[in-house]
Amino acid sequence: MTAADRAGAHMVDALCAAGRIRSPAVERAFRSVPRHVFLPSFAVHEAYADDAIPIRFAEGAATSSASQPSMMAIMLEQLELRSGQRVLEIGAGTGYNAALMATVVGREGLVVAVDIDQELIDDAAAHLAAAGPRLDAAGAGPVELVCADGALGHPERAPYDRIVLTVGSDDVRPEWLAQLAEGGRLLLPLAVRGSQLCVALDLGEDGVLRSDSVQSCMFIRLRGIGSATGSTVVLGRTDLAVEVPSDGLPADPDRLLAALVEPGEVIRMPFPLRQADIWDGFGLWLALTEPGACRLVAAGSGTPARAGIDLVAEDLLPVGSSTASLALVTSHGPVGLALVVQTADGRQALRCFGPAGVDLAAVLVGSMQAWAAVGRPGAPDWRLTVVPGGTGEPGPGVVPKPHATVLAEVRSHGSPAVAG
């Protein structure tokens, strides 16, 4: 065995042991397709590490990456591909994921990979050609590469049994639904109130999409006409910013600033939160149940703090290499903010700001207790229903999108519990 063969075998063994790979078809695909061939500019140990690898940048930000192998395995298992199926992939990347899927669907199947970046398409074509002998030996089916805006799909080869996005989307586009075969499955990283959820959605006879599985994820966002509209707004001359998702009731930065200049009580929390709870876990629950929910993040601006504001980014909770936290803010009436902070001794507490801060802290505590009462659900415990063309107003468990309405409920101990 070569060093690459050994590294590849070790990667697959680890994915199987971790439960990321669960089916023989997905395991066979991972063992058959050489990942390093699709990452020729990287060392073998980098190619087979369980890490996402940025491969293209614009203005200092990554616009494409080779996804983390464990996330790719999770998504392939979510897709439940079958021999002979037709697949549309939006976001070609290196071509590695298309090669894996082509190995599963076989010679009678077809994979069409669409990307808005012609250079990525050209590179993917070169990688697939280099891997050709291995793919032929594995019985992989054809892969067609198309340079186009993935928001529009690729109607020329429709209908597809499976459509998969390897980029994050703020919407469920009608073009994808129109190109999905009856009973087909759409898998996409979908933005939901500031969290990103990898949702496998099955198309019903009534035209409604219902989730089969949900996983937390983090993908580079879709470009082109379907690009995301969410943003992060720096709070004046502070080192704090607030996330403003496109599908919720945005927190008012002016009200946040007005509250922050009036620090109040520090209140004990019922229990501490984990890092994952900021965007998954309780963070997702809070965003789907409370209209005043928001997330504060470290702005990284390096500007001096605004006079009268003593809260700094370090008071937020550590999340990876940065800090962030969860809060409730009033939308009208007296200003108020209740925020989860890290205290000087490393514990967590609720810090109140403004006249309405204590009342909001009580609501936040109640929400934590309600979340705990149904088993502290995370992303996999949610069930999403997507109603195309819906025009619902944002509210508990109702997430409006430009072309659909997402209805969310969480199941605990076998019983449905509608958010809110």
Side-chain angles (χ1 to χ4, degrees), residues 83-310:
S83 177
Q85 287 185 327
R86 300 165 70 87
V87 185
L88 173 64
E89 179 186 34
I90 296 170
T94 65
Y96 177 58
N97 194 55
L100 291 170
M101 293 190 295
T103 303
V104 177
V105 300
R107 301 192 196 281
E108 300 303 316
L110 171 68
V111 175
V112 178
V114 176
D115 203 285
I116 201 168
D117 188 327
Q118 183 64 58
E119 290 187 19
L120 281 174
I121 289 292
D122 293 342
D123 289 346
H127 302 156
L128 287 163
R134 292 280 294 270
L135 297 178
D136 288 341
V143 176
E144 294 184 10
L145 297 169
V146 179
C147 183
D149 192 326
L152 303 177
H154 188 62
E156 289 82 352
R157 287 292 195 175
Y160 302 98
D161 301 292
R162 300 286 188 269
I163 297 178
V164 55
L165 276 71
T166 55
V167 286
S169 177
D170 262 17
D171 196 9
V172 179
R173 301 277 309 184
E175 293 89 349
W176 305 333
L177 271 61
Q179 296 169 36
L180 193 61
E182 183 178 346
R185 177 168 292 184
L186 169 66
L187 175 65
L188 78 164
L190 182 64
V192 177
R193 300 273 169 85
S195 295
Q196 201 177 77
L197 304 177
C198 191
V199 189
L201 295 162
D202 291 332
L203 180 61
E205 294 181 359
D206 56 0
V208 173
L209 293 157
R210 296 174 176 84
S211 67
D212 174 80
S213 60
V214 180
Q215 297 286 339
S216 59
C217 64
M218 185 177 295
F219 279 83
I220 291 171
R221 293 179 174 181
L222 185 70
R223 291 184 286 164
I225 64 172
S227 59
T229 56
S231 62
T232 301
V233 178
V234 177
L235 298 178
R237 289 178 58 248
T238 75
D239 54 359
L240 302 170
V242 59
E243 282 204 333
V244 183
S246 61
D247 55 12
L249 297 174
D252 185 341
D254 292 335
R255 292 186 69 85
L256 284 166
L257 276 171
L260 285 169
V261 299
E262 297 187 57
E265 295 184 38
V266 176
I267 297 174
R268 291 181 61 182
M269 288 171 53
F271 48 82
L273 300 177
R274 306 166 303 153
Q275 285 193 25
D277 289 332
I278 304 301
W279 272 271
D280 191 5
F282 181 61
L284 181 58
W285 171 273
L286 189 69
L288 284 167
T289 58
E290 292 294 340
C294 63
R295 295 180 178 92
L296 294 184
V297 298
S301 60
T303 60
R306 176 170 165 169
I309 296 178
D310 59 355

Side-chain angles (χ1 to χ4, degrees), residues 61-82:
T63 59
S64 183
S65 68
S67 298
Q68 183 181 12
S70 59
M71 191 68 228
M72 298 179 76
I74 288 170
M75 293 182 72
L76 285 176
E77 295 291 2
Q78 283 184 284
L79 269 178
E80 295 186 356
L81 293 171
R82 301 289 182 265

Side-chain angles (χ1 to χ4, degrees), residues 34-54:
R35 181 173 165 87
H36 68 283
V37 174
F38 294 83
L39 292 163
S41 300
F42 295 85
V44 166
H45 74 275
E46 293 175 308
Y48 288 102
D50 193 22
D51 297 314
I53 302 176

